[in-house]
Amino acid sequence: MKNRLSNDQLKIVMNQLYSYLIKQGANQETAKDIVQEAVCKLLLHLESIDTDKYKSWLFKVAINLYYDHLRSLSKEQKISVRGSRRLPYYQ
């Protein structure tokens, strides 16, 4: 990152990101997990991200993580629906 990102700036963006995920339909626990994972990814790639673009980068990573979460839920539901299908009972 070319310029320094302050803790205060990061906290503000994390709160904005959390609120955004809640508005998108995530529950509180999922939103917190996604924010935490997105920030971890930001810290890992800090040197390669321009300070002017870190917020949009963070939001993009977070929304992709949320989509991944929704896909995993969808797969779990398909499996449980297939597994709970009953065969017709004939006498």
Side-chain angles (χ1 to χ4, degrees), residues 40-89:
C40 286
K41 288 182 183 228
L42 174 70
L43 296 175
L44 286 174
H45 300 283
L46 203 54
E47 293 301 320
S48 63
I49 302 167
D50 188 16
T51 306
D52 297 336
K53 298 179 182 176
Y54 82 93
K55 184 176 176 179
S56 60
W57 188 94
L58 190 60
F59 269 73
K60 185 64 175 175
V61 168
I63 199 66
N64 285 338
L65 289 169
Y66 182 56
Y67 291 155
D68 291 344
H69 172 74
L70 292 176
R71 276 192 289 275
S72 71
L73 290 179
S74 176
K75 287 179 184 178
E76 288 174 14
Q77 288 175 352
K78 286 179 184 177
I79 291 169
S80 67
V81 168
R82 288 182 186 160
S84 66
R85 188 181 286 173
R86 293 183 179 177
L87 297 175
Y89 178 73

Side-chain angles (χ1 to χ4, degrees), residues 10-45:
L10 188 56
K11 286 178 185 177
I12 290 168
V13 173
M14 288 171 66
N15 286 325
Q16 291 171 344
L17 184 54
Y18 175 81
S19 296
Y20 177 73
L21 289 166
I22 294 294
K23 288 178 185 177
Q24 293 299 311
N27 63 34
Q28 291 178 349
E29 184 178 329
T30 300
K32 287 178 186 178
D33 290 344
I34 290 172
V35 169
Q36 181 179 0
E37 189 171 348
V39 170
C40 286
K41 288 182 183 228
L42 174 70
L43 296 175
L44 286 174
H45 300 283

